[in-house]
Amino acid sequence: MDLNSASTIVLRVLTQATSQDTAVLKPAEEQLKQWETQPGFYSVLLNIFTNHTLDVNVRWLAVLYFKNGIDRYWRRVAPHALSEEEKTTLRAGLITNFNEPVNQIATQISVLIAKVARVDCPRQWPELIPTLLESVKVQDDLRQHRALLTFYHVTKTLASKRLAADRKLFYDLASGIYSFACSLWNHHTDTFLQQVCTGDEGAATNSLERTLLSLKVLRKLTVHGFVEPHWSVEVMGFLHAVFERLKQFLECSRSIRAENVCRDRLEKTIILFTKVLLDFLDQHPFSFTALIQRSLEFAVSYVFTEAGEGIVFERFIVQCMNLIKMIVKNYAYKPSKNIEDSSPETLEAHKIKTAFFTYPTLMEICRRLVTHYFLLTKEELMMWEEDPEGFTVEETGGDSWKYSLRPCTEVLFIDIFHEYNQTLTPVLLEMVHSLPGSTNMEDTSAILIKDAVYNAVGLAAYELFDSVDFDQWFKNQLLAELQVSHNRYKPIRRRVIWLIGQWISVKFKSDLRPMLYEAIRNLLQDQDLVVSINDFEFRTDQFLPYLESMFTLLFQLLQEVTQCDTKMHVLHVLSCVIERVNMQIRPYVGCLVQYLPLLWKQSEEHNMLRCAILTTLIHLVQGLGADSKNLYPFLLPVIQLSTDVSQPPHVYLLEDGLELWLVTLENSPCLTPELLRVFQNMSALLELSSENLKNCFKIINAYIFLSSSEFLQMYAADLCLSFCELLKDITTEGQVQVLKVVENVLKVNPILGPQMFQPLLPSIFRGIIDGERYPVVMSTYLGIMGRVLLQNASFFSLLLSQMARELGQELDQILGNVIEMWVDRMDNITQPERRKLSALALLSLLPSLNSVIQDKFCGIINISVEGLHDVMTEDPETGTYKDCMLISHFEEPKVTEDEEPPTEQDKRKKMLALEDPVHTVSLQQFIYEKLKAQQELLGEQGFQALMETVDTEIVAQLQEFLQGF
């Protein structure tokens, strides 16, 4: 089929693919998908999107299909890759004309040319850059702009390549075109400035667009195109010119009002100038040394002196402050403690910084930050009145200092104060001392200044540690200020409680805390939410008298607030309270327990709020202990939803949901049918094999300890299948986690356990015979086999017979190999319980006439004596030895105030230990009885011959341990 008829067919299908009718749209999309790998399809698409007479939507779709095709089929190694012939034609077609009239399509074409360039430029496409350089010189406005747009996207893409060979190619490209890019930028910049002066708005807007694009190209070339840019006269010349141009553009902005079409683009260009400096400083700190002085002078004059008045705008101030911050904080400019270890470049940069940041300069910066930039604005105060929740949420945010003025000023203050604290501490203290003791409520500016100074003292808390007696200040002034109830004093009440929050972990006497709790309680009764929402560290004993009222007030606040972020914050505070006071929360949680189901229902669309609810429930269950069973009607459906991987919310809720599931089981007094049913979610979770596997295994173990018989009868078969799959492809650590679950099953249910997990046991048996190389895995193998041998000897015999058949060996030969490897690898076992278990298990083979067991008798005795060394302790009063692992009865542990009370699961484990041979059978007694039985079986002479195979030193140690028997 020729190109024209193919174009007609593709055009028709593309037109159908832009339809709103799904009956038309779906078949068209299917057809286009089939054509993606057909030779010639992309040539047809190129013809369609470069034909300006066709419908815009159809052309837009053609460009998108072309762009996606590049990602999938352009590289030579890709399946269904495009032929070299077709690629050559396409490359030529893409740069024939830069005359796309529609902006959005022009941008997409530029991006797709850049994508091709990433793979093919310069080797397969050497003509691309020369063509672009010629095209940006043409007089036609449209062609010039489109070529410049493409030039920018190509430069940006090539600059992002990171392999050494690609970096080298980009360095070559940058040095080859840098002077041209500079002259292009200068030309468009000068043209713009002239047109602004003559008042030609339309022409000025076009020139500004070109200035912006050419500056974007230069930014990429300057930051990424040179290894040591300070050696390039052109690069450093451009960077110095940035300061001159910035001044010109800032002055120009005086005459361009907000309503002018140029205004937005002008501000973008000014910000782009600052990005050039910030990026260059970030990538090449030592090359930036020559610009430190000028950068600081420029930024400080515009932000901290009258020079910037009427010119600067918020985003520009933020960029200038970030520039100062990056210079102040830059590690490349900080000399080592030992000056001789510092490089000359570092010392030079440090010298420039020190010369600039004189006492008058630092004092002026500090004063302006506090008394100008820290002040709450009219807009903020109005927002506080109208939407207090919105106001508190606005305040927070991780990287917001990079973009928002208030966080930016605070971060700059912290960094400068940290760097120059000896100079600035007296300045700040003088500002504190100059504040009036009592404030006139009508004097709003005095209130705002006090708020700003207190903010500074809070931010600099760590630096002021030795200079401020905070305890005295709290008692003599701050506490009283918290009690001023006048509406206009709200900012100070809020600031003081925040200030205490900053200092409480730095310097705050614990005996002052009850006074603080009293103040917080009063603030929580305040209707002003901004003041109320704060969280604190606290000591439990001091907090308990306030627990009931605080918890009640926090709960009321949780109900009153409406925004998700605020509810999350209050829930966080409630969770902290519950976590700290633990069981003492029980009398007060009734209201919260009733409210949380409603909040969970209301937060269906807000997964982060649901995460906060899950965290609160975790602490609540831990606080309630066995009483948490009363929460099951709400708790179990929440766990069910959070851990169901077929439900979309699991992406957000799974981690906390698993944590809640685990603590629910640990604190559960008994297994309910509903709790058992939730386990249906587990097999899909095990298939995920994610970082949550560890918690999944903990949950499985918790079910085993809770009610092994019911649980295993229902789920053992599925679990065994899941484990078999997991063990095929899992890390060593994961392998051990799986095996520990099996070990726990055998511990809890030694009779049924081996049958239920029988499919796993042959591979464990093989691992022992083959001498598994990882000690931690081998130790777990021996722990499992020890349980089977000691507690279910008949099953061990069946397993031995099965292995003999599978391996085609004699039964005795296999038993001999197992015992030999066990003795040989005993040192792999580090846990005392498992070491004793091994001794008990191997001793359980005695008495025996079996020649293999008698042949390995020496090894069995060696392990038994090693076990005695592990577990026997000497009673200093009687001088006799006793087995320290024996537990005869269950004792409720005495819990000190700092310790967590035992969970229901802790109690279950203690009860289980009372049935475990490791804790109920005396190894000393067991050895004695087994040796006595062996002696009776063989007779004195035969037994002595057997004992002679054991090392005399070992025999001596054994006799010492068995004294008194």
Side-chain angles (χ1 to χ4, degrees):
M1 189 188 295
D2 66 6
L3 204 56
N4 285 337
S5 52
S7 292
T8 310
I9 297 166
V10 173
L11 181 59
R12 187 174 69 243
V13 176
L14 277 170
T15 308
Q16 290 166 350
T18 61
S19 168
Q20 300 297 312
D21 182 355
T22 50
V24 179
L25 172 72
K26 288 291 178 200
E29 284 179 342
E30 281 302 315
Q31 181 60 70
L32 289 166
K33 192 168 178 54
Q34 286 171 20
W35 283 339
E36 275 181 8
T37 53
Q38 293 297 311
F41 177 58
Y42 295 95
S43 301
V44 173
L45 291 178
L46 178 65
N47 279 354
I48 289 170
F49 70 71
T50 52
N51 183 346
H52 304 160
T53 62
L54 297 174
D55 177 67
V56 170
N57 293 323
V58 172
R59 292 173 57 228
W60 170 258
L61 202 58
V63 170
L64 291 184
Y65 268 97
F66 194 105
K67 192 175 79 168
N68 294 338
I70 294 169
D71 289 335
R72 290 179 192 143
Y73 310 115
W74 196 274
R75 292 182 185 277
R76 289 177 186 175
V77 292
H80 310 294
L82 276 77
S83 68
E84 290 305 313
E85 295 77 19
E86 187 171 4
K87 287 201 287 190
T88 305
T89 312
L90 293 171
R91 282 193 293 259
L94 285 171
I95 54 172
T96 306
N97 285 309
F98 295 101
N99 60 350
E100 173 54 56
V102 179
N103 282 333
Q104 291 92 329
I105 294 177
T107 303
Q108 290 300 327
I109 292 172
S110 298
V111 169
L112 68 84
I113 290 173
K115 281 179 177 285
V116 174
R118 185 179 183 87
V119 182
D120 288 354
C121 186
R123 292 191 178 89
Q124 282 81 36
W125 205 2
E127 63 275 16
L128 172 63
I129 301 296
T131 306
L132 288 171
L133 296 184
E134 284 307 311
S135 303
V136 297
K137 295 177 192 170
V138 299
Q139 293 306 304
D140 182 307
D141 273 0
L142 181 69
R143 287 169 190 270
Q144 188 189 66
H145 177 271
R146 297 319 191 213
L148 195 48
L149 182 67
T150 307
F151 187 27
Y152 161 60
H153 279 288
V154 168
T155 312
K156 179 184 173 184
T157 301
L158 296 180
S160 69
K161 296 180 81 174
R162 288 287 165 262
L163 293 177
D166 295 324
R167 306 282 332 116
K168 174 76 174 66
L169 287 171
F170 191 68
Y171 296 149
D172 294 344
L173 170 69
S175 56
I177 66 172
Y178 198 82
S179 61
F180 171 78
C182 280
S183 60
L184 189 71
W185 167 68
N186 272 317
H187 164 71
H188 289 306
T189 307
D190 288 335
T191 308
F192 164 70
L193 291 169
Q194 285 161 10
Q195 288 164 341
V196 165
C197 291
T198 58
D200 188 346
E201 225 174 81
T205 306
N206 284 340
S207 296
L208 184 56
E209 179 64 30
R210 286 158 182 68
T211 303
L212 192 59
L213 283 171
S214 50
L215 182 57
K216 283 181 174 181
V217 170
L218 268 177
R219 177 189 174 198
K220 294 297 174 189
L221 295 176
T222 304
V223 175
H224 301 290
F226 299 87
V227 183
E228 294 180 311
H230 55 280
W231 295 120
S232 166
V233 177
E234 286 176 326
V235 171
M236 297 314 286
F238 161 67
L239 289 166
H240 280 289
V242 164
F243 293 103
E244 296 306 321
R245 292 300 197 188
L246 258 170
K247 282 178 185 170
Q248 290 174 337
F249 273 65
L250 286 163
E251 282 305 319
C252 174
S253 71
R254 280 187 198 276
S255 59
I256 296 179
R257 296 277 162 259
E259 61 276 4
N260 191 307
V261 286
C262 274
R263 181 72 202 189
D264 184 48
R265 276 269 178 260
L266 182 66
E267 288 190 3
K268 274 191 178 165
T269 310
I270 290 169
I271 294 305
L272 188 59
F273 280 124
T274 61
K275 283 181 179 175
V276 172
L277 296 172
L278 284 163
D279 288 359
F280 191 74
L281 169 56
D282 182 50
Q283 293 290 321
H284 307 284
F286 288 128
S287 296
F288 195 86
T289 303
L291 302 164
I292 291 175
Q293 178 77 22
R294 203 161 178 189
S295 298
L296 289 172
E297 284 171 357
F298 175 87
V300 170
S301 71
Y302 275 107
V303 176
F304 295 111
T305 71
E306 282 69 40
E309 282 180 15
I311 302 176
V312 296
F313 51 95
E314 185 171 313
R315 189 82 178 86
F316 174 71
I317 296 171
V318 169
Q319 292 291 91
C320 286
M321 286 187 175
N322 285 340
L323 188 59
I324 299 168
K325 170 189 153 48
M326 279 180 72
I327 293 170
V328 167
K329 227 186 155 189
N330 207 304
Y331 288 109
Y333 303 155
K334 289 188 180 178
S336 307
K337 285 183 180 172
N338 186 359
I339 296 292
E340 290 79 46
D341 295 340
S342 305
S343 67
E345 294 88 347
T346 298
L347 294 174
E348 173 64 18
H350 183 67
K351 187 175 153 193
I352 297 168
K353 269 172 59 180
T354 309
F356 178 81
F357 285 113
T358 58
Y359 175 75
T361 304
L362 285 168
M363 185 172 74
E364 187 56 29
I365 290 173
C366 179
R367 284 187 177 283
R368 289 283 290 221
L369 277 170
V370 176
T371 61
H372 178 70
Y373 288 107
F374 279 12
L375 294 182
L376 287 168
T377 62
K378 281 181 184 172
E379 291 77 19
E380 286 171 320
L381 290 168
M382 198 179 293
M383 185 179 181
W384 188 342
E385 285 301 325
E386 292 171 2
D387 181 16
E389 283 187 61
F391 178 73
T392 53
V393 171
E394 283 287 307
E395 285 201 312
T396 56
D399 269 358
S400 55
W401 60 268
K402 290 181 182 174
Y403 317 103
S404 301
L405 184 57
R406 181 164 295 284
C408 173
T409 56
E410 291 180 350
V411 167
L412 177 61
F413 175 81
I414 291 166
D415 288 338
I416 286 190
F417 206 94
H418 177 72
E419 190 75 9
Y420 302 104
N421 59 2
Q422 288 180 324
T423 308
L424 291 175
T425 296
V427 176
L428 184 54
L429 292 179
E430 193 270 319
M431 291 169 81
V432 175
H433 293 143
S434 64
L435 292 172
S438 59
T439 309
N440 177 2
M441 297 304 159
E442 302 306 313
D443 189 351
T444 307
S445 62
I447 289 174
L448 294 181
I449 288 283
K450 182 180 267 195
D451 173 71
V453 173
Y454 282 8
N455 187 14
V457 175
L459 294 172
Y462 284 97
E463 312 298 336
L464 295 172
F465 181 86
D466 295 320
S467 310
V468 172
D469 185 345
F470 193 78
D471 295 336
Q472 281 302 321
W473 193 23
F474 171 74
K475 281 191 292 191
N476 298 344
Q477 184 176 350
L478 297 178
L479 195 56
E481 291 193 297
L482 283 178
Q483 288 154 4
V484 178
S485 57
H486 197 288
N487 192 45
R488 288 205 175 157
Y489 216 61
K490 273 196 312 193
I492 303 302
R493 290 202 301 278
R494 160 186 170 267
R495 183 58 69 194
V496 168
I497 203 75
W498 170 87
L499 175 63
I500 298 165
Q502 296 297 105
W503 275 85
I504 202 162
S505 56
V506 178
K507 192 180 189 180
F508 194 75
K509 274 198 185 136
S510 64
D511 56 6
L512 294 176
R513 291 187 184 219
M515 295 159 77
L516 173 60
Y517 298 145
E518 190 70 49
I520 297 171
R521 180 166 63 185
N522 295 336
L523 283 178
L524 278 169
Q525 290 165 330
D526 190 327
Q527 290 308 298
D528 178 38
L529 298 171
V530 179
V531 172
S532 305
I533 300 157
N534 286 281
D535 48 351
F536 289 86
E537 296 180 6
F538 48 78
R539 273 192 23 205
T540 309
D541 56 336
Q542 293 177 323
F543 186 74
L544 284 176
Y546 305 93
L547 175 59
E548 183 177 4
S549 54
M550 288 278 208
F551 197 84
T552 307
L553 289 164
L554 280 166
F555 175 65
Q556 284 170 6
L557 184 59
L558 180 63
Q559 290 173 293
E560 285 167 21
V561 297
T562 55
Q563 289 200 4
C564 257
D565 285 333
T566 324
K567 282 192 183 289
M568 281 165 62
H569 199 90
V570 181
L571 274 173
H572 172 66
V573 181
L574 278 166
S575 294
C576 288
V577 172
I578 297 167
E579 185 183 14
R580 294 298 174 88
V581 303
N582 207 300
M583 290 159 63
Q584 282 141 319
I585 199 68
R586 290 179 184 181
Y588 316 116
V589 293
C591 55
L592 182 64
V593 166
Q594 287 174 334
Y595 176 63
L596 284 178
L598 175 66
L599 185 59
W600 179 265
K601 198 168 183 202
Q602 289 170 346
S603 61
E604 204 165 337
E605 302 300 313
H606 305 285
N607 287 309
M608 298 317 289
L609 178 53
R610 284 195 157 185
C611 287
I613 296 170
L614 288 173
T615 307
T616 306
L617 285 169
I618 289 166
H619 295 309
L620 205 50
V621 169
Q622 286 168 330
L624 290 171
D627 291 348
S628 60
K629 188 179 177 217
N630 300 328
L631 299 184
Y632 285 4
F634 168 52
L635 206 54
L636 300 186
V638 166
I639 294 170
Q640 166 70 41
L641 174 75
S642 307
T643 59
D644 184 350
V645 296
S646 67
Q647 298 289 335
H650 90 271
V651 177
Y652 303 94
L653 308 178
L654 181 58
E655 197 172 331
D656 293 317
L658 288 171
E659 187 74 28
L660 178 59
W661 193 356
L662 179 59
V663 300
T664 301
L665 288 164
E666 286 173 344
N667 289 280
S668 177
C670 59
L671 185 64
T672 68
E674 294 77 20
L675 194 52
L676 191 57
R677 207 173 300 125
V678 179
F679 195 80
Q680 290 169 352
N681 285 355
M682 185 55 74
S683 60
L685 288 165
L686 292 175
E687 278 175 37
L688 274 183
S689 294
S690 66
E691 65 280 2
N692 293 309
L693 263 185
K694 203 174 241 179
N695 264 346
C696 290
F697 292 133
K698 285 181 182 175
I699 288 165
I700 297 166
N701 282 324
Y703 273 104
I704 291 165
F705 293 130
L706 183 56
S707 179
S708 66
S709 303
E710 279 179 85
F711 170 68
L712 290 172
Q713 277 166 6
M714 197 158 180
Y715 292 111
D718 291 344
L719 258 186
C720 197
L721 278 174
S722 295
F723 284 178
C724 288
E725 283 305 307
L726 268 176
L727 288 169
K728 288 177 188 171
D729 180 28
I730 199 171
T731 60
T732 307
E733 191 189 354
Q735 216 176 331
V736 171
Q737 296 289 340
V738 172
L739 295 170
K740 276 184 179 171
V741 175
V742 178
E743 190 176 16
N744 283 331
V745 169
L746 302 181
K747 197 185 285 186
V748 172
N749 206 325
I751 305 304
L752 291 175
Q755 294 168 19
M756 289 171 164
F757 285 85
Q758 198 278 332
L760 288 169
L761 296 177
S763 62
I764 293 169
F765 205 105
R766 261 190 226 98
I768 295 172
I769 291 174
D770 296 343
E772 163 61 49
R773 64 197 180 99
Y774 288 110
V776 66
V777 178
M778 186 60 156
S779 167
T780 320
Y781 281 169
L782 293 173
I784 290 170
M785 210 45 70
R787 289 273 165 205
V788 178
L789 175 54
L790 178 64
Q791 292 180 271
N792 199 336
S794 57
F795 191 90
F796 183 81
S797 299
L798 291 172
L799 183 61
L800 206 57
S801 306
Q802 181 189 341
M803 295 312 297
R805 285 195 302 277
E806 283 183 22
L807 297 171
Q809 293 177 10
E810 288 296 317
L811 203 130
D812 281 354
Q813 186 187 351
I814 293 210
L815 178 60
N817 290 346
V818 168
I819 299 172
E820 192 173 325
M821 192 56 76
W822 206 320
V823 172
D824 186 49
R825 299 296 288 276
M826 182 68 175
D827 286 345
N828 286 172
I829 306 175
T830 53
Q831 301 93 326
E833 286 89 351
R834 272 200 198 141
R835 289 177 68 81
K836 180 177 175 181
L837 175 70
S838 285
L840 291 171
L842 290 175
L843 282 166
S844 72
L845 293 167
L846 302 177
S848 175
L849 293 170
N850 186 311
S851 59
V852 170
I853 293 174
Q854 291 190 19
D855 189 39
K856 306 297 177 190
F857 180 79
C858 165
I860 294 172
I861 297 304
N862 284 352
I863 280 185
S864 303
V865 173
E866 272 189 46
L868 287 169
H869 279 292
D870 292 330
V871 304
M872 299 304 283
T873 52
E874 191 173 0
D875 188 332
E877 288 177 14
T878 61
T880 55
Y881 289 96
K882 66 174 191 298
D883 190 330
C884 67
M885 283 198 187
L886 292 180
I887 303 172
S888 56
H889 61 284
F890 179 66
E891 283 181 18
E892 273 283 358
K894 292 179 178 64
V895 182
T896 64
E897 196 176 306
D898 296 334
E899 286 179 321
E900 293 284 318
T903 63
E904 294 299 305
Q905 180 160 301
D906 295 331
K907 295 172 190 173
R908 283 192 281 273
K909 284 182 177 177
K910 281 271 168 63
M911 295 303 289
L912 179 63
L914 292 176
E915 298 169 19
D916 187 344
V918 172
H919 297 293
T920 55
V921 174
S922 160
L923 181 59
Q924 191 184 21
Q925 175 99 27
F926 198 66
I927 293 175
Y928 173 75
E929 286 170 2
K930 288 294 179 182
L931 290 179
K932 187 91 178 133
Q934 188 70 29
Q935 186 181 25
E936 286 169 6
L937 187 66
L938 295 181
E940 186 61 37
Q941 199 176 349
F943 182 69
Q944 281 307 321
L946 200 56
M947 287 301 292
E948 280 167 15
T949 62
V950 183
D951 186 281
T952 52
E953 178 60 31
I954 298 290
V955 172
Q957 290 172 21
L958 180 63
Q959 284 168 342
E960 190 182 344
F961 278 122
L962 296 183
Q963 274 174 5
F965 278 93

